[in-house]
Amino acid sequence: MLKVRRWLKYWLMNLSLRKSIVLYLTVFTVLALFLSSVTAYLCSHRIEAIRDSYPVRGERYYLTNEKGEQLGEGTFISKSRVPLSKEDERRIAVLEFLIVGAAPVYSALCIFAAAMLFYSGKLKRPLQELREASEKISRNDLELVVAYDSADELGQLCGSFEAMRSALAENFAKMWRQIEDRKQLNAVFAHELRTPLTVLKGYDEILENSPELQTRNMAVTMGKHIGRLEHYVEGMSRSRRLEDMQPEYRINLPHELLDSIRESGDMECKAYGKELKFQSRISEHGLLVDKDWILQVCNNLLSNAIRYADKVITISVMEREDGILLQVMDDGSGFSAKGLEKAVNPYYTEEKGNDGHFGLGLSICKMLCERHGGCLKVENHTTGARVTAFFGVKKTLPKVS
């Protein structure tokens, strides 16, 4: 008997959901019909018993012998039963109602029971396994195992879910290994850059003492860029991931920021034969911003504009109540419809072939702007493309004399 029960349980567990629901409904429909028939039979039998408990009355016809004696019980010429009492009439009415109402009541109860048994036997456990697994995955807990051994559809779904979890765990492990490798690479890269930067800085100091004015001016500009590179290297040494970088807010005079932007723009545009138009509308108040981040974003946007511009590039720097607005515009063909949608996505580029551009510039600019309390917007204007970078100002200081 125990073996039969185990076999039956195993068979039901591996039965498909469609066959299972048909089986449950069939069994409980038969049960509902059986219960309805038994109830109708018992109620009818009870009604007859109540009616038979009342005597029959009426005129009888008797056979007699020669002596005039009655033979037998006689035969009713007409008969009628004694009227039922009100209590028995109520009983019979209730029994007749039970005969009529038994079928729908038993059917509803059996359908409910079939649904509950189907849920508890076929749905409850796999759904609970999947829910718990989903909650753990949402918390980045991939150590669970979705264990539901069944050949039905939910068993197959649990198997697919377990395969997905295993693949996610493997991919996360690979990703963390790659992150660790990138940390090592950043550390090596930052370490290797220090030596050539030190050499360049030494030669730049020599050039700054040159008797020629033009050489000294070029050396000053080179020194600023070398200082920015040193700052980047220092940031790479401190930061484990690009996402870990945070802006270093320092007091910057507006004219110093504008001069740095203009100098970088002039050098880049002259190197590629483009004309630079520079516009600014900014007050003389000291601003608490990360100047290096703003210059990095500006250089990235300028580099993109130079590649797509025909002749002219326009840089606009404007002060807003809550930040600084930097716009870089070119007179090229502008963004395509797909470019407007995906330009800030990592590794997206509209350039064909391997030209050394990997589509990370705008993505990095977007991240830097957001980390600086701002945003990045790409759009087309009347004669080309326009990229707007907004940087939130942490604090506005009193006017510098």
Side-chain angles (χ1 to χ4, degrees), residues 77-333:
I77 298 175
S78 62
K79 63 180 180 178
S80 61
R81 291 189 179 275
V82 175
L84 300 175
S85 65
K86 291 185 177 181
E87 182 179 355
D88 285 336
E89 287 180 352
R90 287 195 296 269
R91 290 177 180 174
I92 291 175
V94 171
L95 293 171
E96 289 176 343
F97 175 78
L98 290 177
I99 294 174
V100 175
V105 171
Y106 284 133
S107 298
L109 291 175
C110 287
I111 290 174
F112 177 76
M116 293 302 296
L117 287 176
F118 176 74
Y119 172 78
S120 62
K122 300 293 291 183
L123 301 180
K124 183 178 180 179
R125 183 184 166 193
L127 291 179
Q128 184 177 0
E129 291 277 348
L130 292 173
R131 183 176 63 253
E132 293 177 355
S134 300
E135 292 174 353
K136 289 184 177 180
I137 289 176
S138 66
R139 298 193 297 268
N140 293 326
D141 180 6
L142 298 176
E143 298 299 325
L144 77 159
V145 176
V146 182
Y148 180 68
D149 298 327
S150 174
D152 62 9
E153 292 86 343
L154 283 175
Q156 297 171 10
L157 178 61
C158 288
S160 300
F161 203 90
E162 170 62 18
M164 180 193 71
R165 180 209 63 81
S166 179
L168 281 175
E170 183 178 351
N171 290 336
F172 276 2
K174 185 183 298 184
M175 181 184 68
W176 283 115
R177 287 195 299 270
Q178 292 175 349
I179 290 175
E180 292 298 324
D181 292 341
R182 188 169 65 176
K183 294 176 188 176
Q184 299 284 344
L185 182 62
N186 282 351
V188 172
F189 184 66
H191 181 268
E192 293 297 326
L193 274 179
R194 285 193 177 96
T195 299
L197 284 177
T198 302
V199 174
L200 289 175
K201 191 174 182 180
Y203 281 115
D204 183 71
E205 291 176 354
I206 295 174
L207 292 175
E208 287 181 1
N209 296 320
S210 172
E212 297 182 7
L213 178 61
Q214 185 178 2
T215 302
R216 291 199 302 271
N217 292 336
M218 291 177 61
V220 170
T221 302
M222 288 175 57
K224 292 179 180 179
H225 287 279
I226 291 172
R228 287 175 54 200
L229 282 174
E230 287 182 326
H231 179 74
Y232 295 154
V233 170
E234 182 183 355
M236 290 176 63
S237 301
R238 292 194 309 267
S239 175
R240 292 189 169 186
R241 297 184 303 170
L242 188 63
E243 294 82 358
D244 292 335
M245 296 177 62
Q246 295 294 335
E248 295 183 3
Y249 295 96
R250 297 176 182 174
I251 300 175
N252 290 271
L253 298 178
H255 67 86
E256 294 178 350
L257 176 63
L258 295 177
D259 289 343
S260 298
I261 294 175
R262 186 185 292 108
E263 286 179 3
S264 297
D266 285 335
M267 291 177 61
E268 289 284 332
C269 289
K270 287 180 180 179
Y272 290 92
K274 309 291 183 181
E275 179 186 352
L276 176 66
K277 292 183 178 180
F278 188 81
Q279 304 170 354
S280 64
R281 189 165 65 251
I282 191 168
S283 66
E284 291 300 321
H285 293 80
L287 302 173
L288 198 57
V289 295
D290 191 318
K291 177 182 175 182
D292 291 323
W293 277 30
I294 295 176
L295 292 176
Q296 183 177 355
V297 171
C298 181
N299 287 341
N300 279 337
L301 299 183
L302 182 62
S303 177
N304 283 342
I306 287 174
R307 294 205 310 273
Y308 294 103
D310 289 336
K311 296 180 180 179
V312 181
I313 295 170
T314 303
I315 297 178
S316 300
V317 183
M318 292 167 281
E319 185 178 2
R320 294 289 184 265
E321 182 179 354
D322 53 350
I324 296 175
L325 200 66
L326 170 69
Q327 286 187 340
V328 178
M329 297 176 285
D330 62 66
D331 60 350
S333 57

